[in-house]
Amino acid sequence: MTKEQKSTILRLRAEGYKYVTIADTIGLSINTVKSYCRRQGAASQADDVPCCKQCKKPLVSKKGGKPRLFCSDECRNNWWKHHPSDINRKAYYDKTCAHCGKPYTVYGRPNSKFCSRACASQHRVKNAEAGS
Ligand SMILES: [Zn+2]
Ligand SMILES: [Zn+2]
């Protein structure tokens, strides 16, 4: 886990997001997020009873299924209507490509260095040549 990820976890936690949301946002497993929060004392009982983000009704999650955030499609639609890309925007990082110098935006990868795979591999080749 990077420093940025850790502080993102704590920030989202402070804003009341559930582990599953935080995990999705920064691309870590729920268990990683959970155990980190426990260690930081940021755990709360709210996560033991998953509730619909929109109407706050307790959710009955299907065993083995993906943890759900909403009790119904209606609630999901309503929530997103009122929170346009609220969560997703937090996972976007403005970066400058370490190879071509172009600014770019990356989703969910705070450690990203290159705007594209091509730049990443070209950079690696360049470094290898410089090193030999
Ligand atoms: Zn609901
Ligand atoms: Zn580039």
Side-chain angles (χ1 to χ4, degrees), residues 1-6 8 22-28 87-98 104-121 124:
M1 225 188 304
T2 66
K3 253 190 204 168
E4 267 175 292
Q5 285 175 322
K6 285 178 183 171
T8 304
I22 300 172
D24 269 353
T25 305
I26 55 182
L28 291 171
I87 294 173
N88 288 341
R89 203 177 298 139
K90 291 185 173 126
Y92 281 102
Y93 300 88
D94 289 321
K95 296 279 183 180
T96 306
C97 178
Y104 67 104
T105 309
V106 64
Y107 176 75
R109 290 187 296 126
N111 294 323
S112 160
K113 283 193 188 131
F114 305 101
C115 67
S116 62
R117 252 161 216 256
C119 277
S121 65
R124 224 174 291 136

Side-chain angles (χ1 to χ4, degrees), residues 52-57 59 70-72 75-76:
C52 174
K53 275 172 85 73
Q54 173 65 16
C55 69
K56 309 291 179 207
K57 258 197 290 198
L59 290 173
F70 305 96
C71 66
S72 62
C75 277
R76 186 200 324 273

Side-chain angles (χ1 to χ4, degrees), residues 123-132:
H123 194 76
R124 224 174 291 136
V125 170
K126 212 173 92 186
N127 274 0
E129 280 169 359
S132 64

Side-chain angles (χ1 to χ4, degrees), residues 9-10 13-14 19 34 36-44 47:
I9 291 176
L10 292 184
R13 233 7 238 170
Y19 294 136
K34 220 185 253 183
Y36 178 69
C37 287
R38 288 237 172 89
R39 265 178 308 190
Q40 299 299 312
S44 87
D47 281 272

